[in-house]
Amino acid sequence: MGLNNFIIILITISSLCLHGCIKDEAVKLAYKGYQPVTIGDGWQISTPSMENMDEDYLNTAFQLVHNNDRFMMARSLLILRNGKLVAESYPNDTDDANRIENIQSCTKSFTSILTGIALEKGYLDSLNQTFSEIYPDYFINHQDKKSITIANALTMKTGINFIDGDNTRPLYETDKSSIDGITFGAVSIFMKPRDIAKFGQLLLQNGKWRDKQIVDSTWIAEATKPIVTMHSPGSSYGYYFWIFPAYGGYAAVGHGGQFLFVVPSKKLVVIYTAWPYTSGDMFDNFNELADLIIKSCKPLP
Amino acid sequence: MNIQYRKLKLKMKTKLLLIQILILTGALVKAQDTKLTSDHDKTYSVNFQLGLNQIKETNLIPLAHQGRLTELSFETEKIKKSLRQFRFSFLYSRIKTEAEEMPKSGNIMFCLDYSFNFLIYQKNNLRYYLGPQASLCYSYMLYPNWDDSHGYWADYLSFGPDNILSLSLKHEREWFTSLSFSLVSIFSRPDEIRQYKMDNSSVEGILKALNSNLESGSLNKALQINFKIEYRFPVFVSKREAITFGMNLIRLSQKKEQPVFQFIWQAGLKIML
């Protein structure tokens, strides 16, 4: 029993294991349709045909999210039209419907609306107000950043680079802030998909929820008009909102490919959530989904 | 083209060199024809292994990450009435799932293993040793495609039995196999939900994370099975080498979290100093 036997044993064991002893499991649930269920959260449920939507396009969109590897980390897709929940599905886990998840940079659009409320209530003087006027203590050692205005922040034009390290740390000391319930402002608000839909519907209704005007409609119009031209074609940026003129809509967009898409002319709200930490290399799917869902919208009577 | 050609040429040279070493060592063995025994007081050895590393971190995604590994280990072995082994190893590998084109994920692993085995059975050239062993492993993974905000880890300090079977052959050659597994472990994994945390990526932060969330458990929560087989043969007088092969299976599952699986398959050459 020498070297030859050793090699034979080695090759035998190796051939058994080289292709892998650990196998992949299904990442997502099998697709079973997109019919929403009533859970008593205030949403009125409807069907595509009732809301003038093409079921085939919707079916394609949901199958894409369920079955395509480019949507590997998808958590939810919800479609609302005319203020009613028409379609929803949770490809990863049905419990994701009730789970608060990090919607990353979609948070910015919430901050935008809060800014509008703060302006209306007089908590802020104007968009040209500088942060150093509001928080002077933070700028004692940062004279070069004293001129940064609220408008600069809302249009992502502060000139501050996150990679700036220690120089910007006092301005972004946010590592623990979410624990006490105060959001970062720019990232990491946690919400259930159907609650994001309420925010979308609030925007669609020009800031009015039931009979109460939550935010001034002129602020929503201001925040969702193109202010900054973006590098990516077909989009521009408002006050913490992405604008898509080709669709006639605007969106809150967050890491992982997550988005809240509002198309006022079609009375359409779309929510897509996903695992919030996926690298940008693994998602670039907004247009693909938006195209299908826009196409599914037949003209309203 | 030139660079690729040079790389190919270098690979071929390396392979040829390895084959020459094996042929040379075989020739030397025939020339020596020495005694039939594996008794030696204490040996130090360096083991270089290549192989396959598979990890499935179901806290993140239930897909197997797979890639080539490189492992370097330093070992001591002392045989008198007992057989004592100490091993320090460092493993590095780049891994990827089938859904990814390039292996952007990675795993590094530091392990310390110690075993103290008693001679239980001896007949002719066959010896069987049994005794306790302890393993301390720190395994750190990054999956930047799937999670660019957090690191993942699967660390453990485990205790269990070690079985060693040694068969001495002619010309100072020897088959040497060991099978060990954990019975009780203290282990650490990240929380399944880390929504409110951004990783502290400093050395201090990583070390703190690696020793957090400690939990104890037996086979149902923490299982490590390690199998090794070596074919040892002399090179020079009183010096031996070994062709080594090993497999390591790890499964850790903490509280409600989904388990992490790791399977390591490796083969290499051990120089016994």
Side-chain angles (χ1 to χ4, degrees):
Chain A
M1 206 161 86
L3 184 61
N4 289 346
N5 298 62
F6 179 86
I7 291 168
I8 291 165
I9 292 170
L10 199 146
I11 290 170
T12 308
I13 299 171
S14 303
S15 59
L16 287 173
C17 295
L18 260 180
H19 292 292
C21 289
I22 299 176
K23 301 294 179 195
D24 289 344
E25 294 171 43
V27 177
K28 286 186 283 192
L29 304 172
Y31 178 55
K32 289 180 180 172
Y34 51 70
Q35 178 60 45
V37 291
T38 306
I39 56 172
D41 61 350
W43 278 116
Q44 198 178 338
I45 307 297
S46 188
T47 62
S49 57
M50 292 285 285
E51 307 308 326
N52 290 47
M53 298 188 85
D54 185 304
E55 293 186 20
D56 289 341
Y57 280 120
L58 288 183
N59 213 31
T60 307
F62 278 91
Q63 286 200 3
L64 193 68
V65 167
H66 265 269
N67 302 329
N68 197 294
D69 280 355
R70 284 176 290 112
F71 294 85
M72 183 82 81
M73 304 303 257
R75 294 290 170 95
S76 71
L77 177 62
L78 286 75
I79 298 171
L80 299 95
R81 198 173 196 201
N82 302 324
K84 295 167 191 168
L85 187 57
V86 174
E88 72 173 339
S89 184
Y90 300 90
N92 175 67
D93 182 350
T94 50
D95 285 344
D96 283 336
N98 304 310
R99 199 171 280 151
I100 60 162
E101 286 289 358
N102 188 343
I103 57 171
Q104 297 284 37
S105 283
C106 292
T107 306
K108 289 182 175 70
S109 304
F110 287 79
T111 303
S112 172
I113 294 305
L114 289 172
T115 306
I117 295 170
L119 282 167
E120 189 186 341
K121 290 186 182 293
Y123 300 141
L124 298 172
D125 297 336
S126 77
L127 291 182
N128 294 322
Q129 194 174 2
T130 63
F131 286 103
S132 60
E133 290 169 27
I134 304 166
Y135 304 110
D137 292 349
Y138 285 94
F139 289 84
I140 292 168
N141 297 320
H142 298 277
Q143 294 298 317
D144 57 325
K145 298 177 179 72
K146 281 184 80 172
S147 59
I148 296 171
T149 64
I150 295 168
N152 291 151
L154 290 174
T155 50
M156 305 282 278
K157 291 170 75 180
T158 60
I160 296 174
N161 188 342
F162 262 105
I163 305 165
D164 205 9
D166 288 341
N167 290 333
T168 56
R169 192 152 289 164
L171 297 175
Y172 289 93
E173 195 67 60
T174 54
D175 281 359
K176 295 170 184 168
S177 59
S178 268
I179 293 169
D180 59 14
I182 301 169
T183 73
F184 296 151
V187 292
S188 296
I189 200 172
F190 294 81
M191 294 185 80
K192 295 177 188 174
R194 283 195 180 193
D195 288 343
I196 306 169
K198 287 178 182 171
F199 181 68
Q201 195 60 35
L202 174 75
L203 297 170
L204 195 67
Q205 291 166 186
N206 295 314
K208 197 172 183 179
W209 190 256
R210 296 193 179 116
D211 295 328
K212 193 175 179 184
Q213 193 72 35
I214 305 289
V215 58
D216 193 342
S217 60
T218 55
W219 172 255
I220 294 177
E222 186 77 8
T224 58
K225 75 177 185 192
I227 298 168
V228 181
T229 306
M230 303 302 285
H231 293 299
S232 48
S235 64
S236 50
Y237 206 67
Y239 288 136
Y240 273 166
F241 277 96
W242 289 78
I243 321 295
F244 298 94
Y247 297 127
Y250 53 86
V253 176
H255 207 58
Q258 304 183 93
F259 63 82
L260 159 66
F261 184 37
V262 179
V263 187
S265 61
K266 296 187 183 301
K267 295 190 177 178
L268 177 73
V269 174
V270 182
I271 293 97
Y272 171 76
T273 65
W275 171 247
Y277 307 111
T278 320
S279 135
D281 293 346
M282 302 297 281
F283 62 83
D284 184 17
N285 310 313
F286 173 79
N287 288 332
E288 199 169 2
L289 270 183
D291 277 344
L292 285 167
I293 296 164
I294 290 282
K295 280 179 187 168
S296 77
C297 294
K298 296 173 188 170
L300 291 167
Chain B
M1 280 297 285
N2 273 341
I3 295 169
Q4 282 181 333
Y5 175 72
R6 279 177 198 165
K7 279 183 181 173
L8 190 68
K9 205 173 172 184
L10 187 67
K11 276 184 184 174
M12 286 179 70
K13 276 185 179 176
T14 313
K15 283 177 184 171
L16 280 171
L17 186 66
L18 282 171
I19 292 166
Q20 281 172 348
I21 289 170
L22 289 172
I23 292 168
L24 179 67
T25 52
L28 283 167
V29 168
K30 278 191 177 174
Q32 285 163 8
D33 196 14
T34 51
K35 59 183 178 177
L36 290 172
T37 175
S38 65
D39 283 345
H40 47 286
D41 277 351
K42 191 168 186 179
T43 55
Y44 297 93
S45 54
V46 176
N47 192 2
F48 178 73
Q49 298 197 97
L50 299 171
L52 177 83
N53 186 19
Q54 280 192 304
I55 302 174
K56 185 159 72 176
E57 171 55 90
T58 54
N59 262 353
L60 176 61
I61 187 167
L63 296 180
H65 281 75
Q66 182 171 307
R68 278 179 274 181
L69 69 84
T70 306
E71 191 196 69
L72 187 66
S73 62
F74 172 78
E75 300 171 29
T76 65
E77 186 176 291
K78 193 172 182 181
I79 301 181
K80 278 194 171 175
K81 286 179 182 175
S82 61
L83 193 162
R84 277 176 271 177
Q85 289 183 312
F86 170 80
R87 185 171 189 265
F88 168 72
S89 61
F90 169 71
L91 178 151
Y92 168 80
S93 80
R94 299 291 296 270
I95 49 179
K96 67 181 240 351
T97 60
E98 287 197 357
E100 295 163 279
E101 286 180 11
M102 298 290 288
K104 285 190 177 175
S105 300
N107 172 220
I108 54 170
M109 199 170 177
F110 292 94
C111 286
L112 290 171
D113 302 291
Y114 180 76
S115 65
F116 192 104
N117 292 284
F118 302 97
L119 183 61
I120 303 295
Y121 176 80
Q122 181 172 16
K123 189 174 183 183
N124 301 327
N125 298 325
L126 187 70
R127 295 177 183 192
Y128 172 65
Y129 299 88
L130 176 67
Q133 62 88 23
S135 291
L136 173 65
C137 274
Y138 285 98
S139 182
Y140 191 71
M141 287 76 81
L142 286 173
Y143 308 98
N145 271 343
W146 306 111
D147 187 341
D148 57 9
S149 301
H150 302 106
Y152 289 75
W153 61 91
D155 311 329
Y156 58 85
L157 169 63
S158 70
F159 303 92
D162 185 25
N163 302 266
I164 292 175
L165 198 62
S166 156
L167 177 66
S168 298
L169 307 170
K170 286 181 182 176
H171 317 307
E172 285 277 316
R173 296 172 187 225
E174 182 185 7
W175 279 90
F176 191 91
T177 64
S178 79
L179 176 68
S180 63
F181 59 91
S182 62
L183 280 180
V184 288
S185 302
I186 299 167
F187 60 99
S188 166
R189 291 192 63 209
D191 285 328
E192 182 186 7
I193 297 169
R194 290 185 284 173
Q195 291 171 328
Y196 299 103
K197 291 178 187 171
M198 289 182 181
D199 268 0
N200 179 351
S201 55
S202 66
V203 174
E204 186 191 357
I206 292 172
L207 288 175
K208 198 175 172 184
L210 289 174
N211 293 287
S212 62
N213 275 354
L214 291 175
E215 171 130 351
S216 59
S218 189
L219 301 175
N220 58 334
K221 284 187 173 178
L223 173 69
Q224 301 94 43
I225 302 172
N226 189 284
F227 173 71
K228 282 188 290 186
I229 184 164
E230 295 178 7
Y231 180 73
R232 296 174 174 183
F233 51 94
V235 190
F236 303 105
V237 177
S238 78
K239 296 288 179 195
R240 297 199 298 175
E241 280 180 10
I243 298 171
T244 60
F245 173 79
M247 288 194 296
N248 198 1
L249 180 70
I250 300 161
R251 182 190 183 278
L252 300 177
S253 178
Q254 197 167 18
K255 295 171 189 166
K256 287 189 296 180
E257 286 96 313
Q258 309 283 344
V260 59
F261 299 92
Q262 183 167 16
F263 175 75
I264 293 167
W265 172 104
Q266 56 197 350
L269 189 68
K270 184 193 269 191
I271 312 289
M272 304 174 89
L273 305 169

